[in-house]
Amino acid sequence: MPVTKKSFRVGSSQKLSGGRACCGRAFAMVFIRWSLPLLSLAQAHLGPGEQPLPKIAKAGEQNFDQMAAAGINSVNGISATGQRNPLQFPYLTDFWCAYELSDRSRTMALLIDDMQVEYKEYVQGIVAPIQELLVEFRKAKLPIFWSTWWRWGPEDGFFNSMDRFYGPIGWNTSLNALYNHKPNGGDVLPEVAPETEEEKNRVMHKSYSLDMFDERPMKWKVPNNQGTLHQELQKLGVDTVVQVGAWTDDCIISTAFHAFSLQYDVVLIEDGVSTASKQHFNAIEVMRGAAAKVLLAQDVVKYFKAGRPVEPPLPKAKLAGPRLALKPLPSDLRSSNAETQPSTAQNLLVAPQGRTFADGAILLVVGCIGPISFAAGWILRGRSTFTRRDAPLL
């Protein structure tokens, strides 16, 4: 077929448009390649309230991937037990922290929340455990931060939802823990107070936020160009926070969850927290199952005295927990399609098979106790009546 001017123009235009498309794709790839550093640079300048992730969030990714690959789809050693709850879901799970302090090298910080003069009557019982931790953190030259609650009444300029929650009745009595009522109520208790100038620069005043990480603008007792608590911890390379103080169900739990969301390992000292409400133990259990490693003060002290050892975690032989056992996943689970996976997953939590015969035997014995007891009583009753009736009178 002869090449006409028209067909030549069409072919040329097609080549030109194809070349433009290739150039466009190449330009887009180059733009994306060189814009990534700019995006990371933009993330460094976050707006008010936005918190960057600490380096520790990336540091353990490789080890985690290796552990996950080695035990893929394995339930051996998982830190959870299951429990039936037909009122909500077929199974509920009781989680707890999977890691140990010695799993890796740690840079720790002690957060002492609202251990102040105003709350002395409520927190006196946790002073001794906190003092033990203070000794170890100071010996190890690890950072310690304090916070105090700084409210004086509903008209102190910080009126917010907490004033409405607690209500106006009794706001000027010490039973209302929302406000300070003592002249020096916002001072740190002398027994656990900072000693050095460096420590005095790490005392913050909270006036409306329950959360040590969330107070904005941050007010430090001794201003020295400090940033937020998160920024100060990141300057020091902290990856693990140890929490003590008050109140368990308010400031402690709020700080724990915020620290957890910022990728810190959170260690809650069970005998180092206190509150004035009835929700103390409930709050501890919520943190235990969702955000914190719950330990006693002596556990952390022992860890320090041992030189803060680093020991790779040992494989666990079997699942902990008496209520339910986890049946191992089938070997072909990964190859099954999405339609069959839910039914397979529903069968993961089953009653322990090894106890079926024993349970049946127990039920059989219990079921026979009633009839046997009735028959024995009837026989003995007849013999007793006959003996009394035929016996000679004395």
Side-chain angles (χ1 to χ4, degrees):
M1 179 179 178
V3 178
T4 62
K5 292 183 177 180
K6 182 177 180 181
S7 63
F8 177 78
R9 287 196 299 270
V10 171
S12 299
S13 62
Q14 289 175 347
K15 291 181 180 179
L16 182 61
S17 61
R20 288 176 179 174
C22 292
C23 291
R25 286 193 294 268
F27 176 77
M29 294 176 65
V30 172
F31 176 78
I32 293 173
R33 169 66 180 84
W34 289 102
S35 63
L36 291 177
L38 297 177
L39 290 174
S40 62
L41 181 62
Q43 291 177 354
H45 301 283
L46 301 175
E50 296 179 337
Q51 303 282 5
L53 293 177
K55 294 180 180 179
I56 189 60
K58 191 71 176 175
E61 183 176 359
Q62 183 177 0
N63 290 339
F64 186 89
D65 289 343
Q66 292 174 351
M67 292 175 62
I72 187 169
N73 288 338
S74 173
V75 296
N76 291 333
I78 188 172
S79 57
T81 56
Q83 175 184 356
R84 289 183 180 271
N85 187 341
L87 298 180
Q88 295 183 23
F89 302 102
Y91 297 98
L92 294 180
T93 305
D94 182 16
F95 286 102
W96 58 86
C97 182
Y99 64 79
E100 302 295 338
L101 293 182
S102 59
D103 281 355
R104 60 177 173 82
S105 178
R106 296 181 180 275
T107 302
M108 308 173 80
L110 180 62
L111 306 185
I112 302 179
D113 202 334
D114 296 356
M115 289 292 292
Q116 58 194 66
V117 173
E118 179 70 27
Y119 305 144
K120 182 176 182 179
E121 291 79 5
Y122 298 102
V123 301
Q124 194 64 43
I126 62 174
V127 167
I130 295 176
Q131 288 177 323
E132 294 180 10
L133 292 171
L134 276 169
V135 170
E136 297 302 327
F137 270 80
R138 284 167 174 159
K139 283 182 180 178
K141 296 183 179 180
L142 289 172
I144 306 165
F145 288 84
W146 290 259
S147 72
T148 59
W149 181 256
W150 207 254
R151 293 292 307 275
W152 298 101
E155 298 179 355
D156 60 2
F158 299 102
F159 185 86
N160 57 18
S161 58
M162 282 179 280
D163 297 272
R164 293 186 290 274
F165 182 86
Y166 286 94
I169 306 266
W171 72 266
N172 59 347
T173 70
S174 59
L175 292 177
N176 191 330
L178 180 59
Y179 311 111
N180 290 338
H181 304 89
K182 301 174 183 177
N184 60 336
D187 293 345
V188 179
L189 284 172
E191 298 93 326
V192 296
E195 296 177 351
T196 66
E197 292 300 320
E198 184 179 46
E199 290 182 350
K200 292 176 182 178
N201 289 338
R202 292 173 178 166
V203 181
M204 68 178 68
H205 285 325
K206 297 183 299 181
S207 51
Y208 65 91
S209 176
L210 300 175
D211 180 1
M212 288 180 69
F213 288 93
D214 193 44
E215 184 73 8
R216 295 183 302 274
M218 180 60 64
K219 294 183 179 180
W220 298 90
K221 185 177 182 180
V222 181
N224 191 24
N225 297 320
Q226 302 99 321
T228 64
L229 174 61
H230 178 58
Q231 291 170 339
E232 295 300 308
L233 293 177
Q234 290 300 285
K235 291 177 186 177
L236 299 167
V238 172
D239 52 59
T240 304
V241 295
V242 179
Q243 280 195 264
V244 294
W247 304 115
T248 314
D249 51 337
D250 287 307
C251 298
I252 296 294
I253 195 171
S254 298
T255 301
F257 275 95
H258 199 159
F260 184 74
S261 68
L262 292 172
Q263 307 300 310
Y264 294 98
D265 281 354
V266 180
V267 178
L268 179 72
I269 305 302
E270 188 168 5
D271 55 343
V273 292
S274 180
T275 187
S277 81
K278 297 180 179 180
Q279 305 307 320
H280 170 76
F281 296 105
N282 292 335
I284 289 178
E285 292 310 309
V286 168
M287 287 183 278
R288 188 196 306 273
K293 179 81 171 177
V294 181
L295 298 172
L296 297 175
Q298 64 182 8
D299 297 328
V300 179
V301 170
K302 183 178 178 181
Y303 166 74
F304 271 83
K305 290 185 180 299
R308 291 185 288 158
V310 178
E311 302 171 352
L314 297 175
K316 299 176 182 178
K318 62 180 180 179
L319 179 69
R323 292 181 179 171
L324 291 174
L326 286 171
K327 185 170 65 177
L329 285 165
S331 58
D332 59 343
L333 177 61
R334 283 173 288 173
S335 61
S336 59
N337 56 39
E339 296 179 357
T340 60
Q341 285 183 5
S343 60
T344 306
Q346 290 175 0
N347 294 326
L348 294 180
L349 293 172
V350 295
Q353 297 298 322
R355 303 173 67 180
T356 303
F357 177 78
D359 293 342
I362 292 173
L363 290 175
L364 180 63
V365 171
V366 172
C368 294
I369 288 176
I372 293 174
S373 299
F374 177 80
W378 182 265
I379 294 172
L380 292 176
R381 176 181 176 276
R383 289 183 177 178
S384 176
T385 304
F386 174 81
T387 302
R388 286 196 302 271
R389 183 182 57 197
D390 297 340
L393 296 176
L394 297 178

